[in-house]
Amino acid sequence: MDIPVLAFDRARGADGTFDPRFLDQLRAALHEVGFLQLTDFGAAPGQVAEFSDVVGRFFALPPQERLALDNRLSPHFRGYTRLGHEITAGRPDAREQLDYGPELPVRPRDEWDASFRLLEGPNQWPDAALPELRTVVLAWADLMCRVAEELTRAVAVSLGLPEDQFADAFSGEPHWFGKLIRYVGADSDGPDAQGVGPHADWGFLTLLLQDGSGGLQARPPRAPEWVDVPPLDEALVINVGEMLEVATHGYLVSTVHRVLPCAPGTTRQSAGFFWSPRLDATLDAVPLTPELAANAPGVTESAHNSLLPRFGDNALKGWFRSHPEVAQRHHPELARELAAAAART
């Protein structure tokens, strides 16, 4: 099974409406595979190269400069995660990363309307050691927001819905977040090593820029085995998140994927952008045509991963599961409550 490739500059026709052929290809890719590659998505000349270069220079900083941004210092799960300290599928990943999101002031606890408000807060940037990182990365985030907004409209129309079907969920402060990632191969890696373990993303849509190293694999519903998502120069890998699967009652599938470990002595760089609605937004199932509804099997859940329709609840579950050190250091009581709730499901 191949990963479909779509050119985003062909999404709309000369009259400004979405091209039916593009919509058919988009719907088929996200229904049958859950993944696609998007080319010609509107990056400025040189923007991809500039962004990739500054991300590489961040990971080339001395360890003490990266550790100054240690995510354990942030109650909002922002900052630098050391190699092997993010957990996926119950095991540590062979990657280090910098997590960032919308730059927001800390919301005092007495103003919370729900526990997920702890995810709102400031980022950590290496402004002294690499001041250009903040500027270049936030410009990239602006571009990803524009691409994701247009892609969200295209997804809605491809399902026979109005362009603004999901507008309410994303109005105000959509809670997107980004990851700058470097995978590292080591001689000590054993047979159970993973770049990232098998998982589904818990946002709405994921937009990923990968380098030319390879190693990303997906497991589409109808595929008998893992499928490579090959590197494609200056293309974004797009995949469905759990919130979009919930919203389409499983017609669009949040495909499980993984990253293979790097060979010893090698690295791999990527940058993920996770387009997600407001924390307090609830995504109920949208109305589908009878033809589409007949092929919507419902959401995929497991004993270890129940899907929650309110995005903030799903996001909080994901952060606490992936970064238990941060959760235990800053939110021990809530960590116990979430663990107990998970044990009951």
Side-chain angles (χ1 to χ4, degrees):
M1 178 179 289
D2 294 327
I3 304 300
V5 179
L6 279 69
F8 207 35
D9 60 351
R10 301 178 184 174
R12 291 186 186 266
D15 62 355
T17 62
F18 283 109
D19 185 289
R21 291 168 297 180
F22 179 87
L23 295 177
D24 289 344
Q25 292 171 336
L26 177 66
R27 183 178 60 253
L30 298 184
H31 170 62
E32 297 171 6
V33 185
F35 268 74
L36 61 87
Q37 303 229 47
L38 197 69
T39 66
D40 304 291
F41 54 88
Q47 185 174 8
V48 172
E50 179 188 37
F51 174 68
S52 299
D53 174 71
V54 77
V55 172
R57 285 191 284 131
F58 169 74
F59 289 114
L61 289 174
Q64 64 269 24
E65 298 285 0
R66 285 173 278 150
L67 283 170
L69 314 177
D70 194 329
N71 71 333
R72 293 174 299 175
L73 302 174
S74 169
H76 319 292
F77 297 85
R78 310 287 181 90
Y80 172 71
T81 301
R82 297 153 296 149
L83 182 65
H85 282 260
E86 177 157 1
I87 306 300
T88 307
R91 301 211 312 268
D93 299 326
R95 58 171 165 167
E96 56 181 332
Q97 65 192 37
L98 184 73
D99 288 302
Y100 64 98
E103 195 75 50
L104 295 170
V106 176
R107 185 181 293 228
R109 192 180 185 94
D110 59 5
E111 295 181 8
W112 291 2
D113 56 345
S115 298
F116 52 64
R117 294 301 177 191
L118 66 86
L119 299 175
E120 297 176 330
N123 296 306
Q124 298 192 79
W125 300 105
D127 286 335
L130 190 64
E132 59 268 39
L133 184 76
R134 179 198 293 252
T135 301
V136 173
V137 169
L138 290 181
W140 182 259
D142 287 343
L143 172 63
M144 293 299 96
C145 283
R146 295 195 299 273
V147 174
E149 287 171 347
E150 178 74 346
L151 196 55
T152 297
R153 289 189 284 266
V155 167
V157 178
S158 78
L159 298 173
L161 302 167
E163 271 194 39
D164 63 353
Q165 177 69 41
F166 300 109
D168 287 347
F170 288 91
S171 64
E173 293 284 352
H175 196 76
W176 57 265
F177 68 96
K179 289 179 181 287
L180 311 179
I181 308 165
R182 182 170 72 165
Y183 301 90
V184 180
D187 291 331
S188 58
D189 289 343
D192 294 331
Q194 59 186 30
V196 179
H199 68 285
D201 295 338
W202 35 263
F204 188 85
L205 285 169
T206 298
L207 296 78
L208 176 78
L209 182 71
Q210 58 174 340
D211 69 8
S213 303
L216 175 61
Q217 295 184 323
R219 190 71 183 268
R222 298 169 184 82
E225 56 190 17
W226 290 97
V227 175
D228 289 328
V229 184
L232 186 60
D233 190 39
E234 297 205 356
L236 296 173
V237 177
I238 308 295
N239 64 274
V240 174
E242 290 175 344
M243 290 292 94
L244 185 50
E245 181 173 314
V246 167
T248 61
H249 201 60
Y251 181 79
L252 301 183
V253 59
S254 184
T255 295
V256 172
H257 50 286
R258 68 182 183 183
V259 178
L260 300 176
C262 294
T266 68
T267 62
R268 175 182 184 272
Q269 181 174 296
S270 68
F273 185 86
F274 303 87
W275 177 240
S276 303
R278 288 191 328 276
L279 287 168
D280 62 357
T282 296
L283 290 176
D284 297 318
V286 299
L288 297 176
T289 66
E291 179 184 1
L292 300 186
N295 291 286
V299 298
T300 303
E301 296 187 89
S302 70
H304 304 290
N305 186 35
S306 58
L307 302 189
L308 308 173
R310 189 167 63 166
F311 172 65
D313 299 325
N314 216 43
L316 195 64
K317 174 194 68 177
W319 283 113
F320 272 56
R321 184 174 57 206
S322 298
H323 294 278
E325 289 179 287
V326 178
Q328 288 294 340
R329 174 177 287 203
H330 295 283
H331 314 287
E333 293 183 5
L334 183 55
R336 287 193 292 270
E337 290 176 15
L338 292 177
R344 291 193 297 269
T345 58

